[in-house]
Amino acid sequence: MSWTRKILRVDLSKGSCKSEPLNMEWAKLYLGQRGLASKYLSEEVDPKCDALGPDNKMIMATGPLTGTMASTGGRYSVITKGPLTGAIACSNSGGFFGAELKYAGWDMIIFEGKSDKPVYLLVQDDKAELRSAEHLWGKTAWATDDSIHATHQDPQMRVACIGRTAENGCLYAAIMNDRHRAAGRSGVGTVMASKNLKAVAVRGTQGIGNVDDAEAFASATNDGKAVLAENAVTGQGLPAYGTQVLMNVINGVGGLPARNMRDVGFEGAEHISAEAMAEPRKSDGKPNLTTNGACFGCTIACGRISTVDPTHFSVKDKPQYQGSSGGLEYEAAWSLGADTGIDDLDAITYVNFLCNEDGMDPISYGATVAAAMEMFEDGVITTKETGGIELRFGDAKAFVALTEQFVSGGAFSADLGMGSKRLTEKYGKPDLSMTVKGQEFPAYDPRGIQGIGLNYATSNRGACHLRGYTIASEVLGIPVKTELNDTDGKAELVKAFQDATALVDSAGLCIFTTFAWGMDNIAPQIDAACEGDWSVENCLETGERIWNMERLFNEAAGFTADDDKLPKRLLEEAIKHGPTKGQVSRLGEMLPKYYEARGWTADGKIPDETRQRLSL
Amino acid sequence: MNLNIEFYASLMKYLPPGKSRFRREVKVDDDITLSRLISQFHISEAEAHLVLVNGHFVNCGEDRAQRKLTEGDTVSIWPPVAGG
Ligand code: SF4
């Protein structure tokens, strides 16, 4: 089925699980996954509620193409009010969990209330029940996944769960599924922990039926797969090198931030790049990269499976970390590497394993550590706060020790778990937080690349490259090359990327398809699968509607145009050397044009006529 | 004159023998253009997707054909790649 037309509503306070029909009027306006679940959240949750209180809800949602034969059609998202930002949060994940949820017959699960005791939800097709998770509380995400599989003896069961960092209140905890895949950003895992919900285990055997026009769908998805296979990026570049191929590119063009964005350009970039991951190492002749991997139904397979050098200090005496596991993606390699000034590939691969094992967002974690490192070097914090660790940029041993201390809830973990905004405020250095709306930046410097700064500033979930990946155009020339340092046309570019992404995130597809697919490849797949009109125009308008709805949620939560801003460092401290030397972000030139392009008022409000145009 | 070349990802196979991961210093004709340099190393136009001279993009086609290089320039080349 494209939509199963069924929602599972789990009231954790009462311990009940009930089935209800999907609101098809909303489905026609918001499609699925990100869009449709955000509509439910907007209707059912007070945007001013405490993100970690029982009044917040958490929705796990699939899209209409999740579980189908469409390439990359395995995605699901977690939608909630985020504790890191206080804004609407939507974190998207691949792997196999989303497709399994669909096979069990559900479009989404809405969790509400709070359980008295730790529980996990077991879904086996139509049957859903809450079970005690007291024996799982305190376990890592990997141990939880293993334990649930051992209990149910079903290797096909898919598990999404939280690790210890979520239980400890880390505000950027992730929900891990299939061990290495994460609904990673904005602290959706922390919301799950606040509800005493440790895991969701799903087994579905109902398959997919009821595609609106099966023949047209087979034809549209086959055409789509041919485009992905023939495209040099999705057919060759991503499977061979993964996202990590960007490390040298972004460094080369003068857009790679380093050391808490104090610098732009990292001299150690090549040692932590995709090319370095593929090189045989001296100790055992094997490369860091073991193989690539794919999520459900994906014909691109950009995933990285890696091993750490078994003789490396981080894993030498820890055989459990010497096997292969989820490897470095570009954003994690940047935050754990360049942003901390560390060029030790094995050390950051190991830290990335720990982020997966205990469920935390490596972008926010690395960037928060980077802010702490800057404060340590400036003498604002000392070994008294860090539990005896000399927290200096570039020190891999210190970083590994800190991370081991952090995941087990040791010294300094409460501070680091706040994220860089609250951490730097606590120590009186708020300007050292590299965040928007409280969420840490990913791996592109807005001083070197102008459009991405506008996207960060206006992103509904706080700083995020995946809300509108203008890097595709500004650096990679997809679909057309725009100049990095130009601000002209960037307002329209950002809007177009943001709206198209909102649609893709609501369909069940992976955003990486858009390196090859345009809306003219995507819309026919949705149109064939779903009833109603899913023309290119309607798809784009749906994306715009979703973006505006998210903005309305944030507005009601108390956000204003004043939150569409970048840290002072990026507006005032010019890049010191390299091809982008002398540049700062010129956000002020772009923001008014962006509001205008969106049909908003000069102070960033959505006027009635724009609401009416978008049926909001 | 001497130039620095940097070939990345699948283009590393076109690098002449040498020690560094991506970089080589090479001797080329004084009047060489960017597109001639690229073809001298057997890299096709489709493969030379991102081309930087000293960190600045040079678009394919006429821009590369016209672009003269000078002593000490660094030319960096990537095939079609993406991430995120
Ligand atoms: S392109 Fe990568 S992230 Fe996207 S679905 Fe495929 S393997 Fe997963």
Side-chain angles (χ1 to χ4, degrees):
Chain A
M1 275 161 254
S2 47
W3 293 290
T4 68
R5 297 166 191 256
K6 259 169 57 198
I7 289 180
L8 177 61
R9 189 177 289 273
V10 178
D11 187 328
L12 290 156
S13 303
K14 292 192 190 128
S16 65
C17 303
K18 288 197 180 117
S19 167
E20 66 182 49
L22 184 72
N23 185 324
M24 288 308 296
E25 288 311 306
W26 291 353
K28 283 177 194 157
L29 285 169
Y30 298 95
L31 190 57
Q33 204 176 345
R34 172 174 164 188
L36 189 53
S38 298
K39 175 66 178 168
Y40 272 89
L41 191 82
S42 299
E43 295 289 335
E44 297 189 9
V45 166
D46 175 1
K48 288 203 157 46
C49 76
D50 172 6
L52 299 179
D55 293 339
N56 193 12
K57 298 191 186 188
M58 186 190 91
I59 306 176
M60 288 180 162
T62 64
L65 299 191
T66 307
T68 69
M69 63 198 280
S71 185
T72 78
R75 314 292 301 190
Y76 90 104
S77 292
V78 181
I79 291 88
T80 187
K81 175 171 169 161
L84 185 67
T85 56
I88 194 163
C90 169
S91 293
N92 183 308
S93 182
F96 296 83
F97 177 84
E100 200 70 27
L101 183 58
K102 198 65 165 299
Y103 286 170
W106 304 101
D107 285 316
M108 58 172 92
I109 311 176
I110 301 180
F111 293 96
E112 49 195 36
K114 176 186 176 169
S115 173
D116 286 345
K117 295 199 170 127
V119 289
Y120 72 98
L121 176 71
L122 177 66
V123 179
Q124 290 166 305
D125 289 331
D126 297 332
K127 228 176 76 200
E129 59 179 306
L130 290 166
R131 293 205 171 180
S132 169
E134 284 183 88
H135 62 298
L136 300 173
W137 208 254
K139 281 196 195 312
T140 69
W142 289 356
T144 301
D145 190 299
D146 288 347
S147 175
I148 289 177
H149 275 108
T151 302
H152 296 285
Q153 291 294 308
D154 184 351
Q156 302 277 65
M157 182 168 273
R158 301 293 177 182
V159 175
C161 63
I162 52 171
R164 292 176 297 174
T165 57
E167 294 175 15
N168 293 340
C170 164
L171 291 177
Y172 44 85
I175 298 174
M176 304 304 301
N177 61 280
D178 306 293
R179 291 177 82 90
H180 327 291
R181 287 282 158 183
R185 302 225 70 193
S186 313
V188 295
T190 323
V191 174
M192 187 158 161
S194 76
K195 300 195 169 302
N196 265 329
L197 178 66
K198 181 70 180 176
V200 180
V202 181
R203 179 72 172 104
T205 62
Q206 302 183 25
I208 301 284
N210 264 0
V211 164
D212 193 46
D213 182 342
E215 219 168 288
F217 187 63
S219 155
T221 52
N222 280 342
D223 290 352
K225 284 174 192 169
V227 172
L228 294 178
E230 280 156 23
N231 182 281
V233 170
T234 49
Q236 294 150 32
L238 276 172
Y241 291 98
T243 58
Q244 257 279 66
V245 76
L246 286 186
M247 187 63 73
N248 291 308
V249 179
I250 304 299
N251 199 37
V253 301
L256 188 76
R259 298 179 189 85
N260 199 35
M261 306 182 108
R262 202 173 66 182
D263 303 318
V264 174
F266 180 47
E267 64 289 347
E270 67 168 274
H271 304 305
I272 56 170
S273 65
E275 290 91 339
M277 283 172 72
E279 272 171 18
R281 56 197 170 215
K282 284 198 189 88
S283 67
D284 60 0
K286 293 181 182 159
N288 173 285
L289 176 68
T290 310
T291 182
N292 66 330
C295 302
F296 175 90
C298 174
T299 54
I300 301 174
C302 78
R304 304 290 94 182
I305 303 295
S306 285
T307 53
V308 178
D309 182 340
T311 65
H312 187 261
F313 77 85
S314 60
V315 302
K316 198 158 49 97
D317 305 315
K318 300 167 198 149
Q320 69 273 32
Y321 296 106
Q322 291 175 7
S324 58
S325 193
L328 291 166
E329 310 289 346
Y330 171 60
E331 311 299 335
W334 166 78
S335 62
L336 304 175
D339 206 31
T340 60
I342 292 169
D343 66 359
D344 180 334
L345 182 63
D346 288 298
I348 64 172
T349 303
Y350 171 66
V351 170
N352 191 56
F353 283 1
L354 296 186
C355 288
N356 285 344
E357 183 180 26
D358 258 309
M360 57 186 181
D361 170 12
I363 301 179
S364 283
Y365 175 64
T368 303
V369 171
M373 284 173 161
E374 187 163 0
M375 289 199 294
F376 188 93
E377 292 202 345
D378 290 351
V380 178
I381 56 172
T382 66
T383 50
K384 227 171 77 209
E385 283 82 21
T386 64
I389 294 171
E390 296 272 340
L391 200 53
R392 291 182 195 287
F393 284 119
D395 188 335
K397 287 206 164 125
F399 189 34
V400 163
L402 182 81
T403 308
E404 288 174 341
Q405 181 176 290
F406 179 70
V407 292
S408 58
F412 204 45
S413 59
D415 274 4
L416 281 181
M418 294 175 183
S420 79
K421 178 172 183 282
R422 293 170 177 84
L423 176 75
T424 54
E425 278 168 359
K426 175 174 171 179
Y427 292 101
K429 293 280 171 192
D431 287 347
L432 296 186
S433 170
M434 297 300 117
T435 52
V436 171
K437 301 182 177 74
Q439 178 159 284
E440 289 73 15
F441 285 99
Y444 315 88
D445 199 292
R447 290 167 289 194
I449 309 165
Q450 296 294 332
I452 198 73
L454 176 63
N455 170 62
Y456 287 157
T458 57
S459 159
N460 289 325
R461 72 165 182 181
C464 173
H465 59 300
L466 289 175
R467 296 296 98 164
Y469 193 64
T470 59
I471 299 301
S473 168
E474 296 182 283
V475 178
L476 306 170
I478 303 170
V480 287
K481 180 80 179 66
T482 51
E483 288 302 319
L484 276 78
N485 195 31
D486 272 2
T487 55
D488 282 351
K490 293 294 167 74
E492 294 74 16
L493 186 78
V494 167
K495 177 185 179 292
F497 271 84
Q498 289 176 337
D499 292 349
T501 302
L503 188 279
V504 174
D505 286 348
S506 303
L509 300 172
C510 177
I511 193 65
F512 290 169
T513 54
T514 59
F515 291 128
W517 287 351
M519 203 49 81
D520 51 338
N521 302 107
I522 295 169
Q525 300 184 51
I526 301 173
D527 194 52
C530 303
E531 66 181 62
D533 162 30
W534 294 100
S535 60
V536 168
E537 296 69 36
N538 193 36
C539 282
L540 289 172
E541 191 180 89
T542 303
E544 187 179 5
R545 179 179 303 119
I546 293 165
W547 189 270
N548 279 270
M549 172 181 55
E550 292 172 341
R551 175 91 174 180
L552 286 172
F553 183 97
N554 287 349
E555 207 176 285
F559 287 87
T560 65
D562 201 37
D563 298 293
D564 297 336
K565 64 181 182 202
L566 295 173
K568 215 160 88 185
R569 169 168 284 177
L570 307 181
L571 302 171
E572 293 177 9
E573 289 177 27
I575 295 176
K576 295 184 211 87
H577 48 76
T580 47
K581 184 176 170 184
Q583 288 179 206
V584 292
S585 168
R586 307 203 303 281
L587 179 65
E589 289 173 22
M590 298 180 282
L591 198 55
K593 291 185 189 149
Y594 172 84
Y595 289 161
E596 199 184 319
R598 283 223 165 271
W600 296 350
T601 63
D603 58 352
K605 292 235 162 62
I606 305 176
D608 285 346
E609 60 264 32
T610 302
R611 289 186 201 211
Q612 274 154 19
R613 178 171 64 79
L614 296 170
S615 315
L616 281 165
Chain B
M1 65 177 172
N2 290 319
L3 288 183
N4 301 302
I5 53 166
E6 298 179 345
F7 300 162
Y8 292 92
S10 58
L11 304 185
M12 287 160 70
K13 63 177 182 254
Y14 297 118
L15 283 167
K19 281 224 173 71
S20 137
R21 199 176 262 135
F22 315 109
R23 266 171 229 118
R24 300 287 183 272
E25 200 183 86
V26 291
K27 227 180 188 27
V28 294
D29 293 346
D30 281 356
D31 59 350
I32 198 164
T33 61
L34 183 54
S35 47
R36 253 199 321 116
L37 177 86
I38 293 168
S39 56
Q40 191 169 313
F41 285 93
H42 310 290
I43 301 176
S44 69
E45 216 172 279
E47 283 176 307
H49 182 68
L50 301 176
V51 178
L52 310 179
V53 176
N54 304 325
H56 297 283
F57 281 98
V58 183
N59 294 328
C60 69
E62 265 312 282
D63 285 1
R64 287 182 199 166
Q66 302 285 332
R67 179 61 187 254
K68 291 259 190 293
L69 297 166
T70 50
E71 174 83 30
D73 277 350
T74 297
V75 178
S76 318
I77 310 180
W78 282 268
V81 290

